[in-house]
């Protein structure tokens, strides 16, 4: 027989717990002549059995049910499932903590966080020591803060020597330029030059309006200047070409010299998120394949204030060209470009942001080939020496997806006119 304090010591529980168990009928004390409680060996063993059951994660109530009758399999199965879920959660927590300590990949975490809280994610990355440029590249390219540096080094190696950094073609840029010029009497004036005439870009009617005035055009995310050179050659805009990557801008600067276009283009290294310009400074803002970086819808809203009333915004963006893409394409682009919408939706957003649609067309086949063919050739060249590169694997995957594009997605040019406020 055990006194309550002895039993408490033996099973490692407190006196009050034993009294509570007694109240529940799990154990039952006999009163001695002196009024003290005494417990039997049976009570002790019942408590040990109870503790064994509790070790399976059962609640006290569930343990009591197991002690008093046949084990309820359904109940145990439910408990097992709860435990499995808890273990999975704990494992995830463990993986995240070890990844944060640099011991694993953070890719999935970044992608999920980006989906649920994009702005907070960006701010958090900046707190981790990434500057805005790196944080945006992490968001769109490496997707993993632990592998960011290596990824970017590989990425730069892949694109080294390639001039186009996204789908686009001279003919498509010219078609959009023509749409702007022909739409605008005021702009038409300063934008004619002999090159544009040679290219048959303007008709005789618009020629009549020619004068020496010239407008200002800002190109955002100009990269190495594939569109900049076309705009400088075929229009008389005073062009500001902006990118946040100095090496791209250096390549652009170099390419302008032999074409004697240096005087026509001012180069600015800055972020599209914080444009260092005056309100209503530009007649036209031009952006080929770069608006996705801050989000095309956001770009429509944010850049409007830099465009003169009745000025233009020209941008190209990836769009769905079907309502029913294959599962493979849908899940790829959901990961890679979650803001991708249909042409109609983008136009609706543009109208809501205060633009009128002047023209909209899918980029030509040439625009895709001009980007992906040299990229594919570069991948073939680098594959043997970059076998474990994540950046190379990602670019390869994009090439595979692009090959399945037809009828499902496009790069769409939007020519928009800013409405007066
Ligand atoms: C897909 S490339 C397109 C470049 C060029 N328009 C072309 O078609 O070849 C995107 C460009 O945006 C630039 N970029 C990325 N983030 C930027 C930012 N926050 N501000 C300005 N430019 C940025 C990149 O350096 C790159 O040159």
């Amino acid at each position: 027989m055990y006194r309550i304090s002895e039993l408490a010591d033996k099973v490692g529980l407190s006196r009050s717990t034993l009294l509570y168990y007694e109240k529940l009928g799990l154990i039952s004390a006999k009163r001695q002549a002196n009024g003290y409680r005494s417990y039997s060996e049976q009570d002790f063993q019942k408590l040990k059995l109870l503790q064994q059951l509790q070790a399976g994660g059962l609640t006290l109530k569930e343990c009591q049910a197991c002690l008093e009758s046949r084990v309820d399999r359904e109940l145990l199965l439910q408990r097992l499932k709860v435990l499995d879920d808890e273990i999975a959660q704990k494992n995830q927590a463990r993986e995240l903590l070890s990844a944060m300590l640099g011991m694993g990949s953070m890719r999935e975490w970044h992608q999920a966080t980006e989906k649920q809280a994009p702005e907070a994610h960006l701010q958090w990355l900046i707190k981790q020591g990434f500057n805005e440029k790196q944080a945006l590249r992490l968001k769109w390219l490496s997707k993993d803060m632990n592998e960011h540096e290596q990824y970017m080094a590989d990425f730069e190696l892949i694109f080294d020597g390639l001039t186009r950094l996204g789908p686009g073609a001279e003919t498509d840029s010219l078609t959009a330029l023509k749409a702007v010029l022909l739409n605008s009497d005021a702009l038409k004036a300063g934008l004619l030059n002999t090159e544009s005439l040679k290219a048959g870009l303007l008709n005789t009617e618009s020629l009549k309006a020619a004068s020496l005035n010239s407008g200002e055009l800002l190109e955002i995310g100009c990269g190495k200047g594939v569109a900049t050179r076309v705009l400088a050659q075929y229009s008389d805009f005073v062009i500001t070409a902006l990118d946040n990557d100095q090496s791209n801008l250096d390549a652009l600067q170099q390419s302008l010299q032999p074409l004697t276009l240096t005087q026509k283009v001012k180069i600015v290294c800055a972020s599209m998120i914080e444009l260092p310009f005056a309100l209503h400074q530009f007649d036209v803002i031009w952006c080929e394949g770069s608006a996705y970086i801050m989000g095309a819808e956001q770009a429509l809203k944010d850049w409007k204030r830099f465009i003169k009333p009745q000025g233009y915004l020209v941008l190209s963006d990836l769009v769905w060209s079907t309502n029913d893409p294959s599962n493979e394409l849908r899940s790829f682009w959901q990961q890679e470009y979650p803001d991708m919408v249909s042409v109609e939706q983008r136009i609706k957003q543009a109208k809501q942001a205060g633009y009128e649609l002047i023209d909209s067309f899918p980029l030509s086949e040439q625009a895709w080939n001009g980007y992906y063919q040299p990229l594919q050739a570069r991948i073939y060249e680098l594959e043997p020496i970059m076998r474990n590169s994540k950046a190379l694997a990602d670019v390869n995957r994009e090439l595979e997806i692009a090959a399945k594009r037809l009828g499902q997605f496009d790069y769409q040019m939007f020519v928009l006119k800013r409405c007066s406020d």
Side-chain angles (χ1 to χ4, degrees):
M1 300 298 268
Y2 303 99
R3 300 246 293 270
I4 190 161
S5 50
E6 288 169 340
L7 183 63
D9 272 359
K10 225 168 142 57
V11 293
L13 293 169
S14 68
R15 233 176 137 263
S16 57
T17 306
L18 292 185
L19 290 174
Y20 177 59
Y21 283 3
E22 189 170 340
K23 205 165 143 201
L24 294 178
L26 284 161
I27 47 175
S28 71
K30 288 206 170 50
R31 290 281 177 175
Q32 291 179 341
N34 57 9
Y36 287 171
R37 286 180 159 79
S38 82
Y39 295 93
S40 63
E41 176 64 20
Q42 209 185 349
D43 287 321
F44 164 69
Q45 292 209 10
K46 207 166 171 191
L47 285 173
K48 288 313 274 181
L49 179 56
L50 179 74
Q51 287 177 325
Q52 291 293 98
L53 290 170
Q54 279 178 318
L58 296 176
T59 63
L60 190 59
K61 221 167 153 199
E62 289 164 348
C63 290
Q64 194 172 9
C66 284
L67 284 172
E68 286 167 3
S69 52
R70 280 179 73 121
V71 164
D72 178 349
R73 276 187 63 77
E74 196 47 44
L75 178 94
L76 294 192
L77 282 170
Q78 275 173 23
R79 192 67 206 145
L80 192 61
K81 162 122 193 21
V82 172
L83 274 181
D84 282 344
D85 291 349
E86 281 171 13
I87 290 168
Q89 261 180 20
K90 291 249 152 56
N91 274 335
Q92 247 182 340
R94 196 192 174 284
E95 267 171 36
L96 174 59
L97 289 183
S98 67
M100 280 177 154
L101 289 165
M103 296 183 241
S105 167
M106 292 275 288
R107 205 168 235 225
E108 279 177 22
W109 182 85
H110 283 301
Q111 280 175 325
T113 313
E114 182 59 35
K115 229 183 205 163
Q116 289 162 27
E119 276 168 35
H121 183 214
L122 190 69
Q123 292 314 318
W124 184 81
L125 286 171
I126 289 168
K127 281 210 182 91
Q128 303 316 303
F130 294 96
N131 61 30
E132 184 219 80
K133 177 180 166 187
Q134 291 164 329
L136 281 171
R137 286 177 150 211
L138 199 150
K139 167 180 162 149
W140 287 112
L141 300 170
S142 72
K143 303 185 185 78
D144 188 347
M145 63 191 219
N146 292 332
E147 306 197 347
H148 183 68
E149 257 178 56
Q150 180 61 51
Y151 191 102
M152 287 317 304
D154 289 359
F155 190 83
E156 272 158 22
L157 182 62
I158 294 167
F159 281 90
D160 192 30
L162 299 184
T163 44
R164 249 182 210 291
L165 306 178
E170 180 168 317
T171 49
D172 294 320
S173 304
L174 285 175
T175 307
L177 179 62
K178 182 174 172 180
V180 168
L181 297 180
L182 294 183
N183 183 269
S184 159
D185 282 341
L187 284 176
K188 236 184 266 170
L191 307 175
L192 300 174
N193 69 11
T194 44
E195 288 304 315
S196 53
L197 299 178
K198 271 192 245 152
L201 196 58
L202 296 164
N203 57 25
T204 42
E205 200 187 322
S206 49
L207 248 177
K208 286 186 214 144
S211 87
L212 291 173
N213 299 334
S214 60
E216 266 202 74
L217 180 148
L218 166 66
E219 193 196 354
I220 298 178
C222 62
K224 296 177 189 175
V226 274
T228 329
R229 285 185 288 280
V230 176
L231 294 168
Q233 265 173 297
Y234 292 102
S235 82
D236 279 341
F237 282 113
V238 173
I239 297 174
T240 303
L242 175 141
D243 202 281
N244 72 347
D245 188 288
Q246 189 57 50
S247 62
N248 283 345
L249 293 173
D250 292 343
L252 164 61
Q253 181 77 53
Q254 269 189 1
S255 72
L256 291 172
Q257 279 158 11
L259 299 170
T260 59
L261 293 172
T262 331
Q263 297 303 318
K264 294 181 82 171
V265 182
K266 182 177 158 208
I267 283 171
V268 174
C269 189
S271 173
M272 65 172 77
I273 292 176
E274 277 186 70
L275 295 175
F277 304 112
L279 290 186
H280 301 171
Q281 183 171 336
F282 297 99
D283 298 273
V284 182
I285 289 187
W286 198 279
C287 179
E288 292 199 29
S290 306
Y292 76 92
I293 291 160
M294 63 181 284
E297 191 178 11
Q298 197 60 38
L300 286 165
K301 292 180 194 157
D302 281 10
W303 297 345
K304 190 177 156 205
R305 63 180 185 279
F306 298 102
I307 305 172
K308 287 182 185 156
Q310 305 294 308
Y312 295 83
L313 172 61
V314 176
L315 62 86
S316 65
D317 187 33
L318 201 58
V319 290
W320 287 117
S321 43
T322 171
N323 292 327
D324 190 23
S326 69
N327 287 341
E328 184 188 17
L329 294 190
R330 190 197 300 272
S331 70
F332 177 82
W333 288 118
Q334 254 166 17
Q335 291 284 354
E336 298 301 314
Y337 187 24
D339 301 333
M340 184 165 159
V341 292
S342 65
V343 176
E344 294 71 29
Q345 279 169 295
R346 203 54 97 206
I347 291 174
K348 197 169 157 204
Q349 290 171 356
K351 289 184 176 165
Q352 277 167 353
Y355 299 88
E356 175 195 342
L357 180 72
I358 302 301
D359 196 7
S360 160
F361 57 90
L363 298 193
S364 56
E365 212 42 44
Q366 198 186 331
W368 290 93
N369 295 338
Y371 174 53
Y372 282 117
Q373 281 173 359
L375 188 55
Q376 179 72 77
R378 186 81 180 132
I379 293 293
Y380 287 145
E381 185 187 336
L382 292 172
E383 249 165 0
I385 53 162
M386 291 176 76
R387 288 208 181 283
N388 296 319
S389 163
K390 282 221 168 98
L392 189 117
D394 283 355
V395 174
N396 236 339
R397 180 76 186 124
E398 192 180 323
L399 286 163
E400 275 171 28
I401 291 290
K404 298 176 183 171
R405 170 183 69 85
L406 272 185
Q408 305 208 56
F409 62 92
D410 268 317
Y411 232 93
Q412 188 82 8
M413 189 75 89
F414 297 93
V415 181
L416 306 165
K417 185 173 192 170
R418 183 195 195 281
C419 303
S420 308
D421 291 324

